[in-house]
């Protein structure tokens, strides 16, 4: 599966720790990330990550385009709900795209762990169900 990774600045360390903890599972899949998040995760995990631009420089739009073209199967987006961002509409656009294209999305650690463990068990072959 193709897994997208995005994290707001306040959640980048959490994304690194998550990817360290689930490196074994993530290494079996293709990973895509916004630039800064991808670089930080790659530096601590040695996972191969396809990196787009930094989120605020167009990376969220690049990842959104991948969602629209059915190239992302699952998205982990650790966002900071307490600190408004100047590019907040982009955040809402990504969530909206996931809803439109039936992409499982995790916006917090609990949901991310549930999705990753379900993926590892083989419970997320949902594209086969909807063919």
């Amino acid at each position: 599966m193709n897994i997208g990774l995005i994290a707001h600045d306040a959640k980048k360390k959490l994304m690194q720790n998550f990817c360290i903890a689930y490196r074994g599972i993530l290494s079996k899949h293709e990973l895509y990330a916004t630039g800064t998040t991808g670089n930080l995760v790659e530096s601590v995990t040695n996972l191969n990550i396809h990196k787009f631009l930094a989120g605020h420089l167009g990376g969220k739009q690049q990842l959104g385009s991948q969602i629209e073209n059915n190239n992302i199967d699952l998205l982990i987006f650790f966002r900071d709900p307490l600190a408004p961002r100047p590019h907040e509409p982009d955040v809402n656009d990504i969530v909206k795209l996931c809803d439109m294209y039936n992409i499982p999305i995790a916006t917090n650690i609990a949901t991310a762990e549930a999705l990753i463990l379900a993926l590892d068990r083989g419970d997320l072959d949902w594209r086969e169900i909807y063919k």
Side-chain angles (χ1 to χ4, degrees):
M1 287 193 134
N2 294 337
I3 301 172
L5 305 171
I6 308 174
H8 281 157
D9 291 344
K11 300 292 182 171
K12 290 197 188 307
K13 188 68 175 169
L14 177 63
M15 180 65 80
Q16 284 180 304
N17 290 336
F18 175 83
C19 291
I20 289 168
Y22 294 102
R23 184 186 185 292
I25 297 170
L26 293 170
S27 67
K28 301 173 190 172
H29 302 278
E30 294 291 321
L31 303 177
Y32 297 81
T34 50
T36 308
T37 298
N39 284 327
L40 289 170
V41 169
E42 204 172 53
S43 71
V44 297
T45 63
N46 292 322
L47 290 167
N48 185 27
I49 300 175
H50 305 279
K51 293 176 285 303
F52 298 113
L53 297 172
H56 68 285
L57 297 176
K60 283 195 185 97
Q61 289 84 353
Q62 289 175 308
L63 202 50
S65 176
Q66 294 299 308
I67 292 168
E68 290 176 314
N69 288 299
N70 266 342
N71 293 329
I72 297 294
D73 302 305
L74 184 148
L75 183 68
I76 299 171
F77 186 173
F78 290 155
R79 58 193 191 98
D80 183 3
L82 300 178
R85 301 273 178 250
H87 53 278
E88 190 68 26
D90 294 340
V91 171
N92 295 329
D93 288 347
I94 289 287
V95 173
K96 181 179 175 180
L97 285 171
C98 287
D99 287 343
M100 288 172 54
Y101 292 94
N102 291 315
I103 305 301
I105 180 173
T107 59
N108 60 62
I109 190 74
T111 308
E113 287 180 336
L115 285 178
I116 286 297
L117 294 173
L119 177 64
D120 193 42
R121 286 190 311 267
D123 294 345
L124 287 183
D125 277 340
W126 60 272
R127 286 196 192 266
E128 295 300 317
I129 296 169
Y130 295 107
K131 279 188 175 177

